[in-house]
Amino acid sequence: MSDAGPKPSVPYQHLYVDGDGISRFSECALTNYELKGVGPADPQWNDKMERGEATVVFTVQPVGWIGDWHENPAPQWIVVLSGRWWIEAMDGTRIEQGPGEFSFGGDQGCVEKDGKKGHKSGTIGDEPCRLMTVQLHRDPVGRCELR
């Protein structure tokens, strides 16, 4: 086995609702890794989330797709498989993501303000954006509180 290196810290963006009901982004990190083997395989770093029911949804957003203001349908991990997309929070913060990047959509329960509620999103470039979402069947969580 090769050296597993230092304990990882993997960044992600968390879209959450602040105390005033406004959606905002916070840069968070997965840091609860344990070095464990799977069967006879060499040990690998795992950050295991709380067990619960979930629904996996694969999405293909066409070129030029725009999702006007809306909340995520459930607290969910969103992983970009191919293509690029952007997400804009109610506070005006906009992020862009490409393949291998991911975020957590937890903007349920926003208040409407200035015609905005939740977030907007859309594709970037000349190819569709393919996403995998893992919708968690649980209540929304606060900023960076995913255990």
Side-chain angles (χ1 to χ4, degrees):
M1 179 186 113
S2 63
D3 178 18
K7 188 174 186 176
S9 177
V10 178
Y12 69 93
Q13 294 290 329
H14 185 151
L15 181 63
Y16 71 100
V17 180
D18 71 11
D20 295 324
I22 304 300
S23 67
R24 300 185 182 282
F25 281 105
S26 181
E27 186 165 312
C28 302
L30 299 175
T31 59
N32 197 29
Y33 285 90
E34 294 180 31
L35 190 60
K36 293 180 79 174
V38 179
D42 284 345
Q44 64 186 20
W45 290 106
N46 299 309
D47 187 340
K48 193 171 185 178
M49 298 286 124
E50 178 183 323
R51 183 181 175 139
E53 287 191 39
T55 301
V56 177
V57 179
F58 292 90
T59 304
V60 178
Q61 298 171 338
V63 172
W65 179 86
I66 300 282
D68 209 356
W69 292 102
H70 63 286
E71 295 176 341
N72 282 283
Q76 62 184 3
W77 288 103
I78 306 162
V79 182
V80 180
L81 301 174
S82 67
R84 294 188 59 76
W85 80 323
W86 57 267
I87 312 159
E88 181 180 331
M90 292 171 66
D91 70 356
T93 305
R94 177 179 156 142
I95 65 167
E96 296 183 1
Q97 294 184 315
E101 295 181 296
F102 61 99
S103 61
F104 188 82
D107 62 349
Q108 300 77 27
C110 289
V111 297
E112 185 172 335
K113 184 173 182 184
D114 302 325
K116 301 175 182 179
K117 186 175 181 183
H119 66 280
K120 284 176 67 170
S121 51
T123 58
I124 299 170
D126 58 0
E127 67 175 291
C129 183
R130 292 172 179 84
L131 305 170
M132 179 179 72
T133 62
V134 180
Q135 297 176 344
L136 307 177
H137 301 278
R138 64 187 241 185
D139 292 333
V141 295
R143 186 179 106 192
C144 300
E145 297 175 1
L146 295 171
R147 287 287 146 225

